[in-house]
Amino acid sequence: MLLLALTGCAMLAPAPPERQSNVCEIFREQPDWYDYARASEEKWGTPIATQMAFIQRESSFRSHVKPPRRKLLGFIPWTRPSSAYGYAQAQDPVWGEYEADAGRLFARRTHMKHATDFIGWYNARTRRMTGVSLHNPRHLYLAYHEGQGGYRRGSWRRKPAVQRAASQVARTAAGYRSQLAACEAEFRCDGLLEIWPFCR
């Protein structure tokens, strides 16, 4: 029954956007996602484009994704390399810290509202602990991948693949930022209680 319940939750989750290279199209498919990312930006300071670039890199907007299992003897499904899960690929320990610190005891890693809030919270902590600007998506992602301690120790300097991933996140964020500048007005006044000019 538990398996059926979990499968049902995954089936009810939004399908990943078809055009992930265009944040305007992403928000047209899922307008609530814009509201969630905007709320996170207003609360924590990470730009919407950067939040969405993180999620695109981490999960390709798949709500229930986990790292693939290792193979025992080359063919037997075995353990997963980490507890990463959901849109933001948050791992169990840091998700627990987020729930306690941000007062999100019932947050779900499979819900975009909580994923964007988590990324905002994590990046705010990165800025506080390392001094990295919230407008520097490359170094924010390096700290996201390596942890703030690993970032300060420079562990990423010995990991070319992590550096390439961070550079890709920065390029995606730049593209999303440019696209959003041209379409954001569409999403600011799309709610029943959002009335122009107060939602500009």
Side-chain angles (χ1 to χ4, degrees):
M1 290 181 68
L2 178 60
L3 180 60
L4 287 173
L6 293 174
T7 303
C9 290
M11 290 176 64
L12 292 174
E18 293 183 6
R19 295 183 58 191
Q20 297 189 12
S21 62
N22 190 313
V23 78
C24 299
E25 294 300 323
I26 292 170
F27 288 147
R28 285 175 187 133
E29 287 189 40
Q30 299 294 338
D32 285 347
W33 290 4
Y34 170 80
D35 295 331
Y36 301 151
R38 184 182 176 192
S40 176
E41 179 182 32
E42 291 174 349
K43 182 177 181 180
W44 303 109
T46 295
I48 292 171
T50 298
Q51 296 175 50
M52 300 307 284
F54 272 42
I55 293 171
Q56 198 286 324
R57 175 69 199 185
E58 290 296 289
S59 66
S60 297
F61 301 102
R62 293 173 293 165
S63 60
H64 288 71
V65 69
K66 297 179 180 180
R69 292 183 181 276
R70 299 185 180 97
K71 296 294 180 65
L72 183 64
L73 303 177
F75 66 95
I76 302 173
W78 202 239
T79 58
R80 300 184 192 276
S82 79
S83 59
Y85 181 49
Y87 285 118
Q89 288 295 279
Q91 298 190 42
D92 291 350
V94 72
W95 187 259
E97 292 176 32
Y98 162 69
E99 288 179 314
D101 188 49
R104 292 285 194 174
L105 298 181
F106 300 102
R108 291 179 288 132
R109 284 175 277 186
T110 56
H111 196 298
M112 184 62 75
K113 179 178 181 179
H114 304 144
T116 53
D117 193 70
F118 170 80
I119 289 170
W121 169 83
Y122 194 93
N123 287 343
R125 190 169 76 164
T126 291
R127 180 179 62 176
R128 187 169 64 251
M129 295 175 67
T130 69
V132 172
S133 168
L134 294 177
H135 298 279
N136 187 338
R138 183 174 187 272
H139 281 266
L140 286 175
Y141 185 78
L142 290 170
Y144 191 81
H145 191 280
E146 297 295 290
Q148 288 93 5
Y151 177 83
R152 287 184 297 189
R153 291 191 299 272
S155 60
W156 53 274
R157 299 181 189 278
R158 302 183 299 275
K159 299 179 180 180
V162 174
Q163 294 181 52
R164 288 193 296 272
S167 295
Q168 180 60 57
V169 166
R171 288 192 293 271
T172 301
Y176 284 176
R177 183 168 59 249
S178 177
Q179 293 159 0
L180 194 59
C183 72
E184 188 169 10
E186 293 180 35
F187 311 109
R188 283 187 173 268
C189 292
D190 66 349
L192 292 175
L193 301 179
E194 294 174 328
I195 303 172
W196 186 91
F198 305 106
C199 56
R200 286 184 299 174

